[in-house]
Amino acid sequence: MSDAPTVHIDPPAFWDDPYPTLARMRAETPICFVPELGATLLTRRDHIHTCEKNVAVFSSDQPGGLMNVLMGKNMMRSDGEEHRQERFVSTRPSRPEPCEPRGVTYSASSPMRCSTSLVLAGTADLVREYATVVSGDALRELTGLTNVSATDLDAWSQAMIDGVSNYGGDPDVEARCHWATGAIDAAIDELLPVLLAEPDSSLLSVMTAADMPTDRVAANIRLTISGGQNEPLTPSPAPSGHCSPIRSSSPPSSRVRSPGSRPSRSTAAGSAPIGMSPRRIATEYTFDGVTFEPEERVFLMFGSANRDEEHFDQPDLFDITRDLSQPT
């Protein structure tokens, strides 16, 4: 492991609300080894901004990492040309042209249907009754897995997210992750003959047509489902994530509703779609006085970087007028 200072955490408390602990780390031990996570954490924005680009040292290629072991190697766990090629293929279905024929059906039905239900109900759980369904329906169209439901995708996504963050090694969590990946594989096997006969613009069809190996196709479909369904349901740039801070702002939502107001392109310092990204140290390296050893695990704490006091004024406060478009 690195020779960074050791900092202990209370895992349940950290899972429930990591931000007070991360603030102390930024102030006192911005690079620290956490035994409970088995990783060295980088918590300051400048450190992460520099190190995440240095893929020769801070590598995404992690053969023994939880995501690779439980979900298969995907483009998120690749570097360089390998990553570029898979990303290029995988982003085709989300470009405007291929989206257009699907978008008429999707955009006019799922959000409108859910919104109508919310209005008729008067009160509702925004995550369960809107975001879960809308993002799930979009994922069905994007991936091509139209033989499953939004509820299926939601359950599989959460099981995989829990699995790849299961650093405590809970066997029940691991088993549920295996159940989810097996169910996704079964859905792929059912649809693949249909898409081979009649290709379309879905992710499954496009990746297969590009001669991507079958195991990588499946791994990237799993990746798309895990993040594509999970992130819109958490406090990130999503319909559910922004409602709480808007509701709790003062005055509540007045600037959102004001015809004269124009929210900046990027308004919240604290929200990050991915709170942490793991890296494998590829070669011995010294950074900011800390020496990292080959094959050790490092966590880039994006959620902490987005609340770095050196860059953001009142970073824990949701401010719809905040302008982050200019580099600091």
Side-chain angles (χ1 to χ4, degrees), residues 2-37:
S2 73
D3 59 3
T6 296
V7 174
H8 290 278
I9 64 168
D10 175 8
F14 191 76
W15 182 267
D16 182 61
D17 182 7
Y19 296 113
T21 300
L22 291 171
R24 287 194 297 273
M25 289 177 179
R26 287 195 302 274
E28 301 169 8
T29 52
I31 303 177
C32 57
F33 177 73
V34 179
E36 292 80 7
L37 299 176

Side-chain angles (χ1 to χ4, degrees), residues 245-256:
I246 288 175
R247 183 181 59 205
S248 61
S249 63
S250 180
S253 71
S254 61
R255 292 185 178 181
V256 178

Side-chain angles (χ1 to χ4, degrees), residues 48-102:
I48 294 171
H49 180 73
T50 299
C51 292
E52 70 169 330
K53 294 176 173 59
N54 186 2
V55 296
V57 175
F58 298 87
S59 175
S60 294
D61 185 7
Q62 303 162 48
L66 283 174
M67 180 174 282
N68 275 17
V69 172
L70 296 176
M71 292 172 56
K73 186 174 181 179
N74 54 58
M75 61 180 167
M76 199 171 177
R77 292 295 177 262
S78 303
D79 291 322
E81 185 61 19
E82 183 181 37
H83 170 83
R84 190 199 68 78
Q85 289 181 0
E86 289 198 3
R87 183 170 181 172
F88 177 77
V89 172
S90 300
T91 55
R92 289 180 191 172
S94 59
R95 295 170 190 168
E97 295 79 8
C99 277
E100 188 173 350
R102 300 196 310 268

Side-chain angles (χ1 to χ4, degrees), residues 11 21 33 37 47 51 54 58 78 124 136 140 144 159 164 175 185 191 221 233 239 256-257 271:
T21 300
F33 177 73
L37 299 176
H47 290 172
C51 292
N54 186 2
F58 298 87
S78 303
R140 291 175 69 251
V164 300
D185 290 349
L191 269 181
I221 290 287
L233 312 184
V256 178
R257 295 179 178 179
S271 296

Side-chain angles (χ1 to χ4, degrees), residues 177-256:
C177 184
H178 285 306
W179 160 78
T181 58
I184 293 170
D185 290 349
I188 291 173
D189 290 343
E190 180 181 334
L191 269 181
L192 199 51
V194 176
L195 294 177
L196 288 172
E198 298 183 29
D200 60 19
S201 58
S202 69
L203 186 58
L204 178 56
S205 184
V206 168
M207 289 192 300
T208 301
D211 293 325
M212 187 180 293
T214 303
D215 61 330
R216 299 297 283 262
V217 170
N220 282 307
I221 290 287
R222 296 173 197 140
L223 172 67
T224 303
I225 292 171
S226 65
Q229 180 70 1
N230 188 271
E231 289 171 19
L233 312 184
T234 55
S236 61
S240 58
H242 277 327
C243 283
S244 176
I246 288 175
R247 183 181 59 205
S248 61
S249 63
S250 180
S253 71
S254 61
R255 292 185 178 181
V256 178

